[in-house]
């Protein structure tokens, strides 16, 4: 795998960066844009990422039209807000119906247009102007997009039924039909944009991933989905590759990464592949952006860099700050620095060689289990983006409750999560796995049969088929299986890996309400789901959000929490997983990286008022007895 060399990689005018949240696509896009501009190319960088931190990266206010960066003369940056765009678009679609349709129907339309699919459509609507604008094409040598549309969105844009009146009438009520209902005048522009994406002479798709199993699998899926649509000019960029190893933790991380790269999906092996080294620092400020792609850049004096960065950002507390006075932040000068650094390295601190006061007060998973037990919760969901470890956390919580003598049923959608996650089923634990693919096919078949029986045209059926591939539909199909399981497990605590989003729950509720009032034949909500929806809002249920101590996973988790709040479901606990802070690593790079975790741990601490558990990174497979160590 070659080092990522910008001039070697960027042969086309358009570059679309795509990848799972948290893999570093924004950082890679920024570093590429700056490098090209430094080499005399005129560059436009556009972000449509809801979690984008471009304003922090370039340390200045940005807008959606394009802001020249004074410190990089050839670079202009546009920061689009897809959430705001989605809100404006949603209102433009619904406004004509207010006062005409019943309130239940309006609520159903609003929820249909509140999902991730609509945000993506709105984002694509925003940046198509940049793709199709002749003046923009003339003014810039390269136009970079941070976040590419998914195959699902592109297929939706190409379906004839997407532009007909049919989209205002959902055949299966719990869906996201209608995303394109206000954009008929954009058909030609979208056609041109999709054609540009598929033109290998003009466009390169940059698949950004990490050297880890889950991101590589997701990258394979995205690669195949887009290749099927003709977007085949793809390259693979593996971000965060560790090379320097000099202690137990760095050696374990190195081996884990190398194993993931050796077992890279076959389809990705055929792509030109490039690596970006693991960096300890956050990719903010031009110095850090420029050094990101420098293969020979030595990360020396990490402790010094970390301390200066910490001072500059004026982080006046570390985890636990604000709840006790006698911690690191009461110290000044060199003593303060030494105490701060020892929390990262795991060494004994000053002031009597004791563990830092905040470390004594941090919660572990055992505290989460104790809280669940004391509150008498019956249904436990672990929720989070793919790759944060929610399956592992669910299994550890199930084992912890079983050790307390509770009867527990653990269910998961993870294909790898078989009985290896528990010692023996007889130890108060039973386990099942929901086959996500099978449940989706079952739901798709049910909906399509109803559509065909209702006499819908071939074009309309094609639209429903595409809508049934959306993330919302998959959640609904799996949630139906969860609901049936909970119904059968009244005598046990049910621990479920993967919760439905607030949008999915509200979609189901608004559909049910709309059906009752309008009495139209639409998708049926099973009785088990009708009973479970109120139960999820009761004190019986606990939703635990799992995240990593990094910017994007924390921002995404906050959005998930807001989504649940819309559905009136509260969150009492967060779990920050895979923390290097807890490992005691002596590797300079990893120790500095651990220091940068503190900002995000601290934000979660303040957000949850201390109700979060911190779980250390481990190079060992988390199964059986290893789960109890969590």
């Amino acid at each position: 795998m070659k080092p990522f060399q910008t001039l070697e990689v960027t042969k086309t005018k358009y570059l679309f960066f795509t990848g799972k949240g948290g893999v570093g696509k924004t950082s890679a896009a920024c570093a590429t844009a700056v490098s090209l501009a430094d080499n005399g190319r005129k560059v436009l960088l556009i972000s449509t990422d809801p979690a984008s931190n471009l304003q922090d990266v370039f340390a200045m206010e940005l807008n959606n039209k394009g802001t020249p960066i004074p410190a990089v003369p050839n670079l202009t940056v546009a920061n689009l807000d897809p959430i705001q765009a989605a809100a404006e678009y949603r209102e433009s679609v619904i406004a004509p119906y207010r006062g005409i349709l019943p309130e239940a129907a309006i609520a159903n339309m609003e929820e249909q247009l509140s999902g991730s699919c609509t945000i993506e459509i709105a984002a694509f609507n925003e940046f198509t102007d940049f793709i199709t604008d002749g003046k923009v094409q003339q003014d810039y040598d390269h136009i970079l997009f941070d976040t590419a549309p998914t195959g699902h969105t592109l297929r939706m844009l190409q379906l004839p039924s997407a532009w007909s009146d049919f989209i205002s009438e959902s055949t299966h009520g719990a869906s996201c039909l209608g995303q394109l209902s206000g954009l008929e005048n954009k058909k030609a522009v979208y056609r041109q944009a999709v054609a540009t994406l598929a033109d290998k002479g003009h466009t390169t798709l940059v698949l950004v991933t990490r050297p880890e199993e889950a991101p590589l699998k997701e990258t394979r899926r995205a690669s195949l989905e887009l290749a099927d649509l003709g977007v085949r000019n793809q390259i693979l960029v593996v971000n965060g590759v560790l090379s320097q190893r000099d202690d137990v933790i760095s050696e374990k991380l190195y081996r884990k990464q190398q194993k993931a790269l050796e077992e890279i999906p076959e389809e990705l092996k055929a792509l030109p592949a490039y690596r970006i080294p693991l960096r300890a620092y956050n990719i903010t400020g031009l110095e850090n952006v420029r050094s990101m792609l420098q293969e020979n850049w030595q990360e020396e004096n990490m402790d010094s860099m970390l301390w200066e960065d910490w001072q500059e950002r004026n982080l006046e507390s570390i985890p636990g700050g604000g709840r006790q006075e006698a911690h690191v932040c009461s110290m000044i000068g060199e003593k303060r620095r030494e105490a701060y650094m020892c929390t990262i390295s795991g060494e004994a601190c000053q002031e009597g060689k004791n563990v830092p006061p905040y470390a004594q007060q941090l919660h572990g998973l055992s505290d989460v289990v104790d809280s669940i037990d004391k509150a008498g919760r019956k249904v436990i969901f672990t929720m989070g983006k793919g790759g944060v470890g929610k399956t592992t956390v669910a299994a550890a919580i199930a084992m912890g409750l079983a050790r307390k003598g509770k009867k527990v049923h653990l269910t998961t959608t993870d294909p790898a999560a078989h009985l290896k996650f528990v010692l023996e089923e007889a130890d108060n634990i039973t386990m099942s796995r929901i086959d996500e693919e099978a449940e989706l096919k079952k739901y798709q078949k049910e909906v399509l049969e109803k559509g065909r029986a209702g006499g819908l045209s071939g074009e309309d059926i094609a639209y429903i088929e595409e809508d049934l591939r959306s993330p919302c539909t998959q959640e609904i199909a799996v949630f139906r299986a969860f609901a049936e399981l909970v119904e059968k497990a009244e005598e046990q605590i049910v621990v479920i890996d993967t919760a439905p989003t607030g949008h999915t729950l509200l979609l189901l509720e608004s559909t049910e309400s709309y059906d009752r009032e309008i009495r139209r034949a639409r998708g049926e909500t099973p009785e088990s789901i009708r009973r479970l929806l109120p139960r999820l809002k009761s004190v019986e249920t606990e939703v635990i959000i799992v995240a990593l101590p990094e910017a994007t996973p924390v921002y995404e988790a906050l959005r998930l929490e807001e989504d649940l709040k819309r559905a009136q479901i509260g969150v009492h606990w967060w779990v920050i997983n895979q923390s290097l802070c807890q490992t005691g690593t002596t590797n300079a790079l990893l120790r500095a990286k651990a220091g940068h975790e503190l900002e995000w741990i601290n934000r979660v601490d303040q957000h949850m008022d201390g109700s979060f558990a911190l779980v250390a990174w481990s190079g060992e497979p988390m199964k059986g007895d290893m789960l109890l160590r969590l």
Side-chain angles (χ1 to χ4, degrees):
M1 195 180 297
K2 293 188 272 186
F4 186 96
Q5 299 290 340
T6 309
L7 295 180
E8 178 187 341
V9 170
T10 51
K11 305 293 187 185
T12 59
K13 178 179 282 286
Y14 300 102
L15 292 107
F16 283 83
F17 289 75
T18 189
K20 278 172 66 74
V23 296
K25 60 181 178 290
T26 298
S27 299
C30 290
T32 303
V34 170
S35 176
L36 286 169
D38 286 344
N39 278 282
R41 310 284 179 86
K42 296 208 73 177
V43 181
L44 174 63
L45 171 63
I46 303 160
S47 176
T48 60
D49 187 344
S52 172
N53 62 338
L54 285 187
Q55 304 201 128
D56 295 333
V57 171
F58 294 105
M60 62 184 295
E61 288 295 316
L62 302 170
N63 60 39
N64 63 350
K65 303 298 181 188
T67 305
I69 307 298
V72 189
N74 292 316
L75 178 62
T76 299
V77 178
N79 198 18
L80 308 182
D81 184 345
I83 293 176
Q84 178 62 30
E88 292 170 2
Y89 165 55
R90 181 166 56 247
E91 185 54 31
S92 72
V93 173
I94 295 171
Y97 299 99
R98 293 191 189 280
I100 298 171
L101 292 179
E103 280 303 309
I106 295 295
N108 186 255
M109 288 175 70
E110 285 178 331
E111 200 51 54
Q112 286 186 24
L113 290 164
S114 294
S116 58
C117 299
T118 304
I119 291 173
E120 197 179 322
I121 291 281
F124 190 72
N125 182 45
E126 291 275 299
F127 70 56
T128 48
D129 293 337
F130 288 98
I131 299 176
T132 55
D133 188 310
K135 187 175 186 307
V136 170
Q137 292 174 19
Q138 280 186 335
D139 289 349
Y140 297 99
D141 299 310
H142 298 285
I143 302 172
L144 282 64
F145 294 90
D146 166 28
T147 303
T150 63
H152 170 63
T153 294
L154 294 178
R155 283 193 304 267
M156 194 75 87
L157 290 165
Q158 295 178 67
L159 285 167
S161 287
W163 310 103
S164 74
D165 291 337
F166 165 74
I167 53 181
S168 64
E169 298 178 11
S170 164
T171 299
H172 60 120
S175 76
C176 286
L177 285 166
Q179 301 97 324
L180 305 173
S181 50
L183 301 172
E184 290 86 352
N185 62 332
K186 288 279 194 173
K187 273 197 281 191
V189 176
Y190 285 169
R191 254 198 308 271
Q192 186 182 340
V194 172
T196 302
L197 264 169
D199 186 339
K200 65 180 182 181
H202 286 87
T203 299
T204 303
L205 185 74
V206 183
L207 297 159
V208 185
T209 188
R210 280 186 173 178
E212 299 166 18
E213 185 181 356
L216 284 165
K217 283 182 177 176
E218 176 67 17
T219 302
R220 171 190 174 275
R221 186 199 61 74
S223 172
L224 291 174
E225 196 175 47
L226 290 162
D228 284 345
L229 293 167
V231 185
R232 296 191 177 92
N233 189 20
Q234 304 177 3
I235 65 170
L236 182 68
V237 175
V238 183
N239 183 34
V241 179
L242 178 69
S243 57
Q244 176 198 356
R245 53 198 196 280
D246 52 21
D247 75 341
V248 173
I249 301 300
S250 57
E251 184 64 37
K252 283 182 178 179
L253 178 56
Y254 174 80
R255 288 180 183 174
K256 195 171 186 178
Q257 288 190 351
Q258 290 303 308
K259 184 174 185 292
L261 292 174
E262 286 165 11
E263 296 172 357
I264 193 168
E266 285 297 323
E267 294 84 354
L268 297 181
K269 288 180 181 177
L271 300 178
Y274 304 88
R275 68 173 183 271
I276 297 175
L278 180 67
R279 298 304 187 197
Y281 52 80
N282 295 320
I283 309 299
T284 55
L286 282 175
E287 184 182 349
N288 286 348
V289 172
R290 285 189 167 108
S291 63
M292 180 184 178
L293 301 180
Q294 295 176 21
E295 185 76 11
N296 58 354
W297 188 80
Q298 297 298 313
E299 304 206 31
E300 296 169 349
N301 303 315
M302 281 294 170
D303 293 356
S304 175
M305 283 178 58
L306 178 60
W307 172 243
E308 288 166 9
D309 183 52
W310 192 56
Q311 281 186 312
E312 184 181 334
R313 287 181 291 119
N314 193 30
L315 296 180
E316 286 302 320
S317 61
I318 56 177
R323 290 197 303 280
Q324 69 275 339
E325 296 297 324
H327 61 51
V328 170
C329 297
S330 65
M331 304 177 189
I332 57 172
E334 194 65 22
K335 181 184 284 188
R336 179 177 177 180
R337 176 182 175 183
E338 287 172 3
Y340 173 67
M341 294 310 301
C342 78
T343 68
I344 301 163
S345 67
E347 299 165 3
C349 287
Q350 304 298 315
E351 300 294 310
K353 308 292 182 185
N354 292 323
V355 176
Y358 89 82
Q360 298 171 5
Q361 297 193 19
L362 284 176
H363 296 295
L365 276 186
S366 59
D367 297 302
V368 177
V369 171
D370 289 344
S371 171
I372 290 169
D373 182 37
K374 187 176 178 181
R377 309 291 191 210
K378 288 291 188 183
V379 181
I380 320 298
F381 285 100
T382 56
M383 188 172 183
K385 291 293 185 179
V388 297
K390 57 185 179 291
T391 301
T392 303
V393 170
I397 288 170
M399 290 186 72
L401 289 167
R403 284 293 174 102
K404 288 179 170 288
K406 305 295 181 183
K407 288 189 175 181
V408 182
H409 185 83
L410 171 64
T411 185
T412 178
T413 57
D414 187 340
H418 299 300
L419 294 178
K420 65 184 181 182
F421 277 102
V422 292
L423 300 176
E424 292 179 18
E425 279 205 309
D427 296 339
N428 286 336
I429 294 181
T430 55
M431 184 164 175
S432 63
R433 185 179 78 82
I434 291 172
D435 187 328
E436 221 165 357
E437 200 171 311
E439 292 298 331
L440 180 59
K441 284 180 180 175
K442 181 173 146 188
Y443 181 62
Q444 288 170 330
K445 183 183 177 186
E446 179 186 316
V447 171
L448 288 170
E449 282 177 353
K450 284 183 182 175
R452 291 188 181 104
L456 292 177
S457 70
E459 283 188 359
D460 289 346
I461 290 294
Y463 190 90
I464 295 174
E465 284 178 327
E466 188 51 53
D467 183 66
L468 287 168
R469 298 183 192 183
S470 77
C472 304
T473 304
Q474 185 159 322
E475 271 189 28
I476 288 162
V478 172
F479 187 51
R480 283 166 29 129
F482 281 147
E484 289 167 14
L485 191 71
V486 171
E487 191 93 335
K488 295 173 186 174
E490 289 291 332
E491 303 304 314
Q492 294 175 299
I493 296 174
V494 182
V495 180
I496 301 170
D497 158 37
T498 303
T501 62
H503 169 61
T504 301
L505 296 174
L506 287 167
L507 206 51
L508 288 162
E509 283 193 315
S510 66
T511 299
E512 187 183 341
S513 171
Y514 184 40
D515 284 350
R516 277 201 306 267
E517 187 166 332
I518 308 301
R519 298 187 183 281
R520 292 175 62 181
R522 300 165 70 89
E524 293 179 4
T525 305
E527 194 59 34
S528 56
I529 284 189
R530 294 185 187 197
R531 283 196 289 266
L532 184 55
L533 289 173
R535 188 175 182 181
L536 287 176
K537 300 177 184 181
S538 75
V539 293
E540 285 189 339
T541 298
E542 183 85 55
V543 175
I544 296 163
I545 288 185
V546 185
L548 303 178
E550 299 169 15
T552 300
V554 169
Y555 284 136
E556 288 184 339
L558 286 168
R559 284 202 300 275
L560 286 173
E561 187 183 73
E562 282 301 312
D563 206 19
L564 287 168
K565 281 180 181 174
R566 288 198 307 121
Q568 300 176 335
I569 295 173
V571 175
H572 303 106
W573 283 97
W574 277 42
V575 173
I576 302 296
N577 199 20
Q578 300 178 29
S579 168
L580 287 166
C581 275
Q582 301 290 83
T583 62
T585 179
T586 57
N587 177 274
L589 188 149
L590 295 186
R591 190 166 71 244
K593 190 168 177 58
H596 284 293
E597 292 180 354
L598 295 181
E599 176 182 358
W600 302 104
I601 295 170
N602 203 34
R603 287 197 190 193
V604 174
D605 174 45
Q606 291 167 1
H607 173 67
M608 294 301 294
D609 194 24
S611 294
F612 77 100
L614 193 62
V615 177
W617 181 89
S618 174
E620 306 298 330
M622 285 291 116
K623 57 184 180 181
D625 285 329
M626 284 297 297
L627 283 167
L628 294 175
R629 297 190 188 182
L630 298 182

